[in-house]
Amino acid sequence: MTPPSSAFKKGVKKEEPPLTAVVILDAFDQRFAPIQESYPCFGTFPICNVPAINFVLSWLMRTEVKNVMLVVSGLNAEHAENVKKEWKLAFTEFTVVACDAVTSVGDCMRELVNRELITGDFMLISNPTAVINTNLVPQIQEFRKRRRENADNVMTLLYSNRENPERSLLGINWETNKLMLFPAANSLNQLKAEKYHFYEGVDIRRDLTSTGIAFCSRLIATQFSDNFDFTGIDDVVREILSKDDILGMSVHIEVLPTKDRAFYAYDYESLVLLNTLMLERWFYPLVPERANFQDPTRFFTANPRNLYLEEDGEEICLKANTWILGDQCFNVSLGTKTKISHLAQIRNSCIGSHTEISKNSQIHQSIIGKNCRIGENCRIEWAFIGDDVTIPDGTHVPKEAIIGNGVVFPKKLAGIPELTLLNAALNEEKFEKLSSEAREGCHVARFKHGGSFWRRAVNGKTIFGVDDEPSDSVGSTSGEDDDGIDDSTRQFHDEVFESMEKTLESNNQQMRNLILEINSSKLACNVTMDDVAKNVFAAFLELPNNEELKGTQELIVSWRDLFGNYYKTKRCQIHLLLAVEDRYNAVEGFRQRVPALVHFMYNNDILDEEGILEWAESIETATLKSSMQKIVDWLNQSEEEDEEEEEESDEE
């Protein structure tokens, strides 16, 4: 009997519904209190004079997303409705969810669960400034593949392949991309790792930056409703990892290819950086002139040197009676009817509508609001200035300053670093973490715990920029015994020395165990690989077996696996030699052994000639440079002979 033709037909593959985008429109960080008068809803804050939410919705249009839930606090519902009015035709469904008395992302998610609005897998965008220049097709496919393989694969966090300025850490299984280690809430750049993690193929990454985007199953939303103290997605991640044996859920990391760009702002420093990146068109095709097409009343033009001009039907007014800025201006966004002197210098900055900037003023890496008056010969860099602000002639606004609406800047406060200046006293009942005091007709705002407005805290304290000059402010200390080594590096050195001593005293000197202990100390102390390379050998040289050259040579041979692990690259070898140089300068009895020690390590393939020669050129101590000259000459001669042999073989 011949089977029916239908038996040979392939089954129709069930198409999975597109992800719903859940976008949180508010920011719940009190550091943004100075801007809430003009922008109570963080998603409407202008990046390059374009509301941040416009960029988010623009890139969402390029993904599979058809339905958008815009979640907002009840106080800001009107702002969300205005966004919906502009963008509702771009999606199949556009819903505004207003939540009363919410103070965190967690509160918003609990409200969605209580209203039963989360019915399947969704994309969570927990920050309304998150931007990305890709359609996320491969990343969403990978999330769905994991979900099909195991329903307990409940979340995939999206990271960009970009070194993060806060040096936050992740521990990821290099085979499966499963997240194994995640930092604590008050310690973003430290991980608590056990030795077994290193046996399980965990790759410690500090070169990734969160995008603020996560692909989630419905179970993630219910985690918020089950835990009323959860304030953000990071709390859910920590819960899943800490109760892996109970919950049985898994979180994975998806890293964008290096060609794809993503970023989001979480403090004033990152807001200014995001503004600059957008001006420089890093997220193309997500660019300022294309992000307002849903609003026919606003029109942007892009011009040479990345100059973006907003127009409302009338020409933008400039002192030179032309829209072209001076040659010293680039990466600038100007609002409508802005008056800019042709002699002003503006770089990597955003200037709001109706703002005037006088001649010879310099504005770098800053965001300036609407209706401001900047006098002559002013200097503003790395600053945020609100609306209706007046900066008198000749004022040098301190770096990382935040100036609220309506402030007439008093010159007497120009010397205060990281100044946050407001026109009126803060409502400390509303902003319970903040305080303010009257000074020079204005109010200086501070965090009660002493943190920074400009930059969010890591490890319980503020990370300051590397270019900052030393401050004479109250609270700064300097130790008399400061040797240029910070506490974490010194602690790492001491822990490595202790681990080496224990290994030396044990009968079974397993290098694998010693390497694991050193790696654990590296994570705990959060030191760089340069610090590791230098301090591992520095600690080794301090061991009692190294009082004589013969003992050092025997121990190097015995511990060859240790050196092979940490000194594979020329950079690490140079830091080993820097440790030798420090020992030479500190211990007189060690000096005569250095040439023989370096030669021995070269013969035993621990050091390469390139590393030795580069280090030798940098030696500042004359006696050491002289004693190393024979080895340098020998290596150079050997290199020349090798080149001659290669030339002869080529001729043959």
Side-chain angles (χ1 to χ4, degrees):
M1 179 178 177
T2 304
S5 59
S6 61
F8 298 98
K9 292 182 179 179
K10 292 183 179 180
V12 179
K13 185 178 179 180
K14 185 179 179 181
E15 187 174 346
E16 296 177 277
L19 296 178
T20 295
V22 176
V23 184
I24 309 298
L25 198 58
D26 288 311
F28 301 99
D29 191 338
Q30 293 190 15
R31 77 179 61 252
F32 295 118
I35 70 174
Q36 285 196 3
E37 185 177 348
S38 293
Y39 304 100
C41 186
F42 190 58
T44 62
F45 181 85
I47 302 295
C48 303
N49 283 316
V50 176
I53 189 62
N54 284 23
F55 289 114
V56 175
L57 296 173
S58 293
W59 68 256
L60 276 176
M61 285 182 60
R62 301 178 62 237
T63 70
E64 67 173 42
V65 169
K66 304 298 181 186
N67 299 337
V68 174
M69 284 188 201
L70 206 58
V71 187
V72 66
S73 65
L75 296 174
N76 295 327
E78 182 180 351
H79 298 282
E81 291 293 342
N82 291 336
V83 174
K84 177 182 177 181
K85 184 178 179 181
E86 290 184 18
W87 287 88
K88 62 182 179 181
L89 297 180
F91 299 92
T92 303
E93 186 176 344
F94 198 109
T95 307
V96 171
V97 182
C99 310
D100 293 328
V102 292
T103 59
S104 68
V105 173
D107 289 341
C108 294
M109 295 304 299
R110 281 184 280 275
E111 187 69 19
L112 294 180
V113 173
N114 293 340
R115 299 188 195 182
E116 299 182 350
L117 296 176
I118 302 292
T119 58
D121 293 349
F122 62 98
M123 180 193 306
L124 176 61
I125 304 166
S126 54
N127 185 301
T129 65
V131 294
I132 193 168
N133 70 339
T134 178
N135 58 19
L136 297 177
V137 169
Q139 291 76 26
I140 294 175
Q141 287 177 345
E142 194 64 29
F143 167 69
R144 287 205 171 102
K145 178 183 176 183
R146 293 191 185 106
R147 295 280 292 143
R148 287 193 297 269
E149 292 173 351
N150 188 341
D152 290 330
N153 293 331
V154 292
M155 179 163 54
T156 295
L157 300 174
L158 192 64
Y159 278 75
S160 64
N161 209 328
R162 171 185 176 274
E163 187 169 354
N164 63 79
E166 297 177 323
R167 302 175 70 190
S168 57
L169 295 166
L170 294 174
I172 308 170
N173 185 291
W174 61 272
E175 289 184 333
T176 64
N177 280 354
K178 180 180 178 181
L179 182 64
M180 305 297 294
L181 298 169
F182 197 72
N186 61 348
S187 184
L188 298 181
N189 54 9
Q190 290 187 9
L191 294 174
K192 185 178 180 181
E194 302 294 340
K195 287 185 179 180
Y196 72 84
H197 285 123
F198 297 98
Y199 291 107
E200 294 183 353
V202 176
D203 190 11
I204 305 300
R205 302 290 297 270
R206 68 168 75 244
D207 58 336
L208 303 178
T209 300
S210 174
T211 65
I213 302 168
F215 308 127
C216 309
S217 77
R218 186 179 179 278
L219 288 174
I220 294 299
T222 59
Q223 282 293 309
F224 283 101
S225 61
D226 294 340
N227 299 272
F228 284 90
D229 58 335
F230 285 3
T231 60
I233 196 70
D234 289 357
D235 293 323
V236 176
V237 173
R238 295 183 187 102
E239 177 79 358
I240 291 174
L241 294 186
S242 65
K243 297 183 178 179
D244 179 46
D245 53 341
I246 299 174
L247 299 176
M249 299 179 185
S250 296
V251 178
H252 290 78
I253 299 295
E254 197 65 31
V255 181
L256 291 169
T258 53
K259 65 181 179 64
D260 294 333
R261 311 287 181 178
F263 194 73
Y264 75 98
Y266 42 81
D267 55 18
Y268 291 96
E269 182 176 61
S270 54
L271 268 176
V272 172
L273 179 56
L274 176 58
N275 185 75
T276 300
L277 293 173
M278 195 62 70
L279 289 168
E280 293 177 342
R281 305 175 78 83
W282 279 89
F283 305 102
Y284 186 88
L286 198 65
V287 288
E289 71 269 23
R290 296 187 180 183
N292 273 300
F293 69 90
Q294 299 294 327
D295 184 357
T297 65
R298 305 187 71 187
F299 178 67
F300 278 77
T301 59
N303 302 279
R305 303 198 307 274
N306 291 336
L307 303 179
Y308 302 91
L309 310 179
E310 181 184 0
E311 304 185 53
D312 60 356
E314 300 180 17
E315 292 294 328
I316 289 185
C317 178
L318 299 177
K319 283 288 185 183
N321 198 27
T322 173
W323 59 264
I324 301 177
L325 296 175
D327 292 340
Q328 298 186 77
C329 298
F330 55 82
N331 297 333
V332 180
S333 176
L334 299 179
T336 57
K337 298 184 178 180
T338 307
K339 296 182 180 180
I340 311 293
S341 168
H342 194 69
L343 298 177
Q345 183 188 96
I346 310 175
R347 299 176 180 176
N348 302 322
S349 298
C350 175
I351 312 298
S353 300
H354 300 275
T355 286
E356 295 183 8
I357 300 177
S358 302
K359 65 180 181 180
N360 298 326
S361 285
Q362 299 180 26
I363 300 173
H364 300 165
Q365 301 286 156
S366 298
I367 296 176
I368 297 178
K370 298 175 289 187
N371 302 307
C372 294
R373 301 292 178 267
I374 311 299
E376 297 180 7
N377 299 304
C378 293
R379 184 174 179 86
I380 303 170
E381 53 186 334
W382 286 103
F384 172 86
I385 295 178
D387 299 339
D388 304 300
V389 173
T390 299
I391 307 295
D393 293 349
T395 301
H396 186 172
V397 176
K399 284 185 178 181
E400 302 181 358
I402 302 164
I403 313 299
N405 292 357
V407 170
V408 177
F409 191 87
K411 286 190 175 182
K412 290 183 178 180
L413 300 183
I416 300 178
E418 296 188 65
L419 177 66
T420 301
L421 199 60
L422 306 178
N423 188 39
L426 278 168
N427 182 349
E428 295 189 25
E429 291 185 2
K430 180 180 180 181
F431 303 108
E432 71 280 358
K433 296 181 181 180
L434 310 178
S435 65
S436 60
E437 62 173 331
R439 292 187 65 177
E440 301 296 332
C442 301
H443 289 78
V444 177
R446 293 186 176 89
F447 272 104
K448 291 179 180 178
H449 62 67
S452 168
F453 267 93
W454 184 260
R455 188 179 292 109
R456 75 176 176 184
V458 177
N459 233 10
K461 57 186 178 182
T462 302
I463 299 295
F464 295 98
V466 294
D467 295 328
D468 289 353
E469 297 178 359
S471 172
D472 295 329
S473 59
V474 177
S476 63
T477 60
S478 60
E480 294 180 0
D481 59 344
D482 184 12
D483 54 5
I485 304 175
D486 60 35
D487 292 339
S488 59
T489 304
R490 186 179 291 105
Q491 180 184 349
F492 173 75
H493 174 278
D494 294 344
E495 289 184 7
V496 170
F497 179 75
E498 184 179 346
S499 298
M500 287 182 172
E501 272 193 322
K502 291 179 181 178
T503 302
L504 197 60
E505 293 170 359
S506 66
N507 295 325
N508 185 16
Q509 297 184 13
Q510 288 288 336
M511 288 300 101
R512 182 176 180 83
N513 293 339
L514 178 56
I515 290 170
L516 287 173
E517 290 187 10
I518 293 174
N519 288 343
S520 297
S521 297
K522 173 183 179 293
L523 290 174
C525 299
N526 191 32
V527 295
T528 65
M529 273 308 301
D530 290 349
D531 290 331
V532 171
K534 185 174 182 179
N535 285 278
V536 164
F537 202 72
F540 171 80
L541 290 175
E542 294 173 12
L543 293 172
N545 283 41
N546 293 319
E547 295 176 358
E548 300 292 338
L549 177 61
K550 184 178 180 181
T552 303
Q553 293 173 337
E554 291 175 351
L555 199 55
I556 287 174
V557 173
S558 178
W559 288 17
R560 181 187 297 273
D561 290 344
L562 175 73
F563 301 114
N565 184 76
Y566 290 112
Y567 301 106
K568 297 176 183 177
T569 66
K570 181 180 72 173
R571 185 186 182 96
C572 290
Q573 291 173 21
I574 290 174
H575 279 84
L576 178 154
L577 290 165
L578 290 174
V580 172
E581 185 175 351
D582 288 348
R583 186 77 172 170
Y584 178 95
N585 293 327
V587 181
E588 185 175 354
F590 177 73
R591 295 173 183 174
Q592 61 183 3
R593 289 180 259 156
V594 170
L597 176 61
V598 173
H599 188 228
F600 179 81
M601 289 191 289
Y602 172 77
N603 287 336
N604 282 269
D605 298 326
I606 295 170
L607 296 176
D608 296 331
E609 61 183 61
E610 290 182 4
I612 297 173
L613 293 173
E614 188 170 326
W615 165 69
E617 288 182 3
S618 69
I619 296 175
E620 296 180 354
T621 306
T623 53
L624 175 59
K625 199 174 189 71
S626 176
S627 64
M628 287 298 302
Q629 193 60 46
K630 286 186 178 180
I631 294 179
V632 170
D633 293 341
W634 174 69
L635 290 174
N636 284 328
Q637 182 181 358
S638 177
E639 187 176 354
E640 291 173 0
E641 291 175 354
D642 291 341
E643 290 176 356
E644 290 176 0
E645 291 177 0
E646 288 179 5
E647 290 176 0
E648 291 175 359
S649 62
D650 291 341
E651 291 175 359
E652 293 175 359

